[in-house]
Amino acid sequence: MSSFVGVIVSDPWLQSQFTQVELRGLKSKFLSAKNQSGNVTFADLPPVLAKLKGVTELTENEITDILKESSPDLNEEVDFESFLRHYLDLQAQASAKVGGPKPQSSFLKATTTTLRHTISESEKSSYVAHINNYLGEDPFLKDYLPLDPASDDIFELAKDGVLLCKLINVAVPNTIDERAINTKKVLNPWERNENHTLCLNSAKAIGCTVVNIGTQDLIEARPHLVVGLMSQIIKIQLLSDLDLKKTPQLVELVEDTKDVEELMGLAPEKVLLKWMNFHLKRAGFEKQVTNFSSDLKDGEAYAHLLNALAPELGTNSTLETTDPTERAKLIIEQAEKLDCKRYVTPKDIVEGSANLNLAFVAQIFQHRNGLSVDQSKIPFADMMEDDAQTSREERCFRLWINSLGIETHVNNLFDTVRGGWVLLEVLEKAAPGSVNWKQASKAAINMPFKKLENCNQVVSIGKELNFSLVNIAGNDIAQGNKKLILAFLWQLMRFSMLNLLKNLRQHSQGKEIGDADILNWANEKVKRSGRSSQMESFKDKNLATGRFFLELLSSVEPRVVNWALVTKGTTDEDKKSNATYIISVARKLGCSIFLLPEDIIEKMILTLTASIMYWSLQKKVGDLEPPSPSQQSEPLSPSLSNNQPPPSPRGDDG
């Protein structure tokens, strides 16, 4: 059998944005840009990029200006993966120019190929202190902790991936089954890569943005990327209580039910600002705090806040002090009396370190939020009560949407999608060119008719993509009908995954891939590995034991499952243990999984199977170019490929 070397991209997310056909073409274009020295620099790119699909709306001069934003030195050498990232960014810029969503201006601010990045020593020191405090007693890490904040030991320790995985579990307990972490004293390159793959997929699953970070960046412990990822993880931990479900007393910040709905849609840091201003207003402080940087530099807001929250510790000397640094010192001393951990130094406050000030305010909130348990307002929180299944699906779809790299960050799924704009952004990712941006409006949240226009277009596109939308209209989305929104999102996620599989052409021959193909592929893989488990359907009750998926994972990568850790799956506890292990092993391979263990037990599992299938087939694409149809190595059953019944509204049948 003849074979050809394929185009390998180290970042799984970046790989997923292109088919092998596209990658081959782009690699050819990239190589054509080589200069006389045999290298490619940013200065060489504009003529090439200006001719690529989706970028033709931009002139060479405009492309040059955009490239200068991330690389002022156009003579800097650029590698192929950076070229791909810049291409995606330029496509977004071009789309915005003709009326599409605005590009993410920060997408390339920290490209993995530049060495000019600096890190804040104060942030590094604070994160080291956080790690020493929360992980000092960890059975594995205690031999390496405490770290010295003044040294670069944190980066050396991060190279094996164990530290970052453990930090994720501190932020969101039980995200990673620690049995899946490779924790030997000395790891080989494969084991180290597995840990970082597990870390990145798990970080994505708790809401971190990792589109510009690859496993190699973490293996090399590039400081700005390691600190940036740690910052996101720690931020998620510190802001975890700023949620109405965990802290229903937050309803005290609003006046009526309409305001509660708005509060639910705010990002945690916005809720923290709202909480801070609530107490400052009560304390008679007239200024409004709008950020965690410049508005806090003089320390006055801190002084008033702490005096209001802890009057027993209050002192006039903090406000009477005219020296900002001295005032900041007194503020920190007062906060430490509330047992707040030190995240800032006086210098950080005076200089307006946004990340560290946010961490400091979050610490104050955790230790003394000053909110009363007003029984007359607590019933407002009943608006948020969902059944467990709905809550899990909301989380799954919210994290999936945020992982796509769209401009809008979703904090509350049902509230955010009502404007329609976010769904249009996701549809454009899943089916490029499907959205008519001239008929869309981002300002829809305060414009009911525009909002309805967006939602009507969402449903119209869904019908064009053959979604089952018999009982779904644009008004259902605009009014926040949770059941129908989940039904639409399930079909959209399913379409996106099947489209990725379809693009691996040597397996699908360009044909549509359906649920039956995924089912048959999984059964065939397990059968070929010599095991007897089979999946009758995505509703098969026997799947709840978890053993089929562990056998499937073992069949695509034999060394990844430690069978000594697998239970028989007969009791509920054993089933959950297996399900937790399955998710971490899949992420360890490189699968993007947003499910919880309960979702496997209750069989919302098509996305799990499809993710494993995509990873397995993509791995082969990385090794070999697509052969001719007659050379297909892992045939998919063509049966039912184009005749799949629509999924159920709950999405539990695949």
Side-chain angles (χ1 to χ4, degrees), residues 261-532:
E261 185 177 336
E262 180 185 349
L263 185 65
M264 289 168 59
L266 290 178
E269 52 266 39
K270 297 292 186 183
V271 177
L272 190 62
L273 281 174
K274 193 175 185 70
W275 166 81
M276 191 175 190
N277 284 312
F278 172 80
H279 284 298
L280 290 175
K281 184 178 180 181
R282 277 188 166 186
F285 187 67
E286 296 181 357
K287 295 180 182 178
Q288 184 88 355
V289 177
T290 61
N291 58 66
F292 293 102
S293 181
S294 58
D295 288 358
L296 299 177
K297 284 184 176 182
D298 60 14
E300 289 185 12
Y302 274 133
H304 283 282
L305 177 67
L306 289 169
N307 283 346
L309 293 175
E312 74 278 10
L313 301 175
T315 172
N316 291 329
S317 60
T318 308
L319 287 169
E320 292 171 353
T321 302
T322 57
D323 179 24
T325 301
E326 183 61 27
R327 179 182 291 150
K329 181 180 178 182
L330 293 172
I331 287 167
I332 292 171
E333 290 175 355
Q334 191 174 352
E336 286 180 339
K337 293 177 182 178
L338 292 175
D339 293 327
C340 293
K341 297 179 180 64
R342 178 175 290 204
Y343 282 95
V344 292
T345 64
K347 182 181 178 183
D348 297 326
I349 293 177
V350 173
E351 292 185 350
S353 174
N355 284 340
L356 297 182
N357 274 315
L358 183 148
F360 185 47
V361 177
Q363 272 282 295
I364 296 172
F365 174 86
Q366 287 183 352
H367 286 82
R368 186 74 65 92
N369 65 39
L371 300 173
S372 62
V373 184
D374 187 340
Q375 296 299 323
S376 66
K377 287 190 174 184
I378 293 298
F380 282 171
D382 292 342
M383 294 173 59
M384 303 174 301
E385 290 302 317
D386 294 321
D387 61 79
Q389 177 71 18
T390 298
S391 295
R392 290 201 303 273
E393 290 186 51
E394 186 275 341
R395 175 189 179 278
C396 174
F397 293 129
R398 170 168 44 86
L399 293 174
W400 171 65
I401 289 172
N402 287 334
S403 77
L404 298 176
I406 65 172
E407 178 191 358
T408 309
H409 187 84
V410 178
N411 294 293
N412 181 283
L413 179 72
F414 299 118
D415 184 66
T416 307
V417 302
R418 289 175 62 182
W421 179 268
V422 169
L423 292 177
L424 291 174
E425 287 187 273
V426 177
L427 281 164
E428 184 66 26
K429 281 283 186 181
S434 62
V435 178
N436 184 343
W437 293 108
K438 293 181 180 179
Q439 295 180 5
S441 172
K442 192 173 183 180
I445 192 66
N446 296 317
M447 303 169 66
F449 294 108
K450 290 293 184 181
K451 179 168 66 175
L452 186 57
E453 284 181 6
N454 283 352
C455 294
N456 284 338
Q457 186 179 176
V458 166
V459 173
S460 176
I461 295 171
K463 289 179 178 178
E464 291 174 6
L465 298 177
N466 295 320
F467 292 2
S468 176
L469 301 175
V470 177
N471 297 314
I472 302 178
N475 197 45
D476 295 313
I477 297 174
Q479 291 184 351
N481 185 312
K482 294 180 180 180
K483 181 179 179 181
L484 297 183
I485 287 172
L486 290 176
F488 183 88
L489 283 170
W490 164 247
Q491 295 184 80
L492 181 51
M493 178 188 264
R494 174 179 176 273
F495 172 84
S496 179
M497 177 56 71
L498 295 182
N499 223 28
L500 286 174
L501 289 169
K502 176 186 174 182
N503 286 338
L504 297 173
R505 295 184 184 277
Q506 92 267 30
H507 301 286
S508 67
Q509 301 178 25
K511 297 178 181 178
E512 297 294 330
I513 291 180
D515 301 357
D517 298 309
I518 297 172
L519 181 75
N520 293 339
W521 173 86
N523 282 331
E524 185 63 23
K525 286 296 291 185
V526 172
K527 183 179 179 181
R528 286 186 182 182
S529 70
R531 297 185 179 274
S532 58

Side-chain angles (χ1 to χ4, degrees), residues 22 28 45 58 81 135 249 327 426 459 480 534 590:
E22 291 170 330
S28 176
L45 294 182
L58 300 174
E81 292 196 16
L135 291 169
Q249 294 87 351
R327 179 182 291 150
V426 177
V459 173
Q534 291 285 278

Side-chain angles (χ1 to χ4, degrees), residues 75-260:
N75 291 319
E76 181 183 349
E77 187 177 342
V78 60
D79 65 11
F80 179 57
E81 292 196 16
S82 181
F83 168 76
L84 293 178
R85 289 190 173 91
H86 282 283
Y87 174 43
L88 290 174
D89 187 53
L90 287 166
Q91 282 186 319
Q93 301 260 12
S95 175
K97 185 177 180 180
V98 296
K102 294 180 181 179
Q104 296 193 72
S105 59
S106 63
F107 181 71
L108 290 170
K109 296 299 184 185
T111 91
T112 59
T113 58
T114 177
L115 303 176
R116 298 186 311 278
H117 297 279
T118 59
I119 62 170
S120 164
E121 288 297 323
S122 290
E123 282 195 47
K124 186 188 78 171
S125 296
S126 292
Y127 302 154
V128 167
H130 181 95
I131 289 166
N132 288 340
N133 180 67
Y134 284 97
L135 291 169
E137 298 302 316
D138 181 84
F140 178 79
L141 292 176
K142 66 182 180 181
D143 291 341
Y144 304 93
L145 302 179
L147 296 169
D148 179 4
S151 73
D152 286 335
D153 291 348
I154 187 173
F155 302 120
E156 285 301 313
L157 186 56
K159 286 182 177 180
D160 279 348
V162 178
L163 173 63
L164 290 168
C165 287
K166 298 273 189 177
L167 194 59
I168 288 171
N169 269 357
V170 169
V172 182
N174 303 316
T175 297
I176 296 175
D177 187 329
E178 297 201 0
R179 296 175 296 176
I181 304 174
N182 299 315
T183 54
K184 295 188 304 185
K185 293 292 183 181
V186 179
L187 300 179
N188 61 42
W190 179 269
E191 292 165 331
R192 189 178 296 116
N193 188 72
E194 282 184 338
N195 280 350
H196 288 303
T197 303
L198 174 59
C199 162
L200 288 175
N201 280 298
S202 299
K204 187 161 54 173
I206 66 171
C208 295
T209 301
V210 299
V211 294
N212 64 329
I213 307 175
T215 56
Q216 190 61 33
D217 300 314
L218 299 181
I219 290 171
E220 295 175 5
R222 299 189 180 186
H224 68 287
L225 294 177
V226 172
V227 169
L229 182 55
M230 286 181 175
S231 174
Q232 291 189 72
I233 296 169
I234 292 171
K235 177 182 173 182
I236 287 171
Q237 177 187 344
L238 295 177
L239 297 179
S240 61
D241 289 340
L242 285 149
D243 179 278
L244 277 167
K245 291 182 179 179
K246 290 188 176 180
T247 311
Q249 294 87 351
L250 285 168
V251 295
E252 192 174 350
L253 304 182
V254 300
E255 296 297 328
D256 56 37
T257 54
K258 290 184 179 179
D259 293 331
V260 171

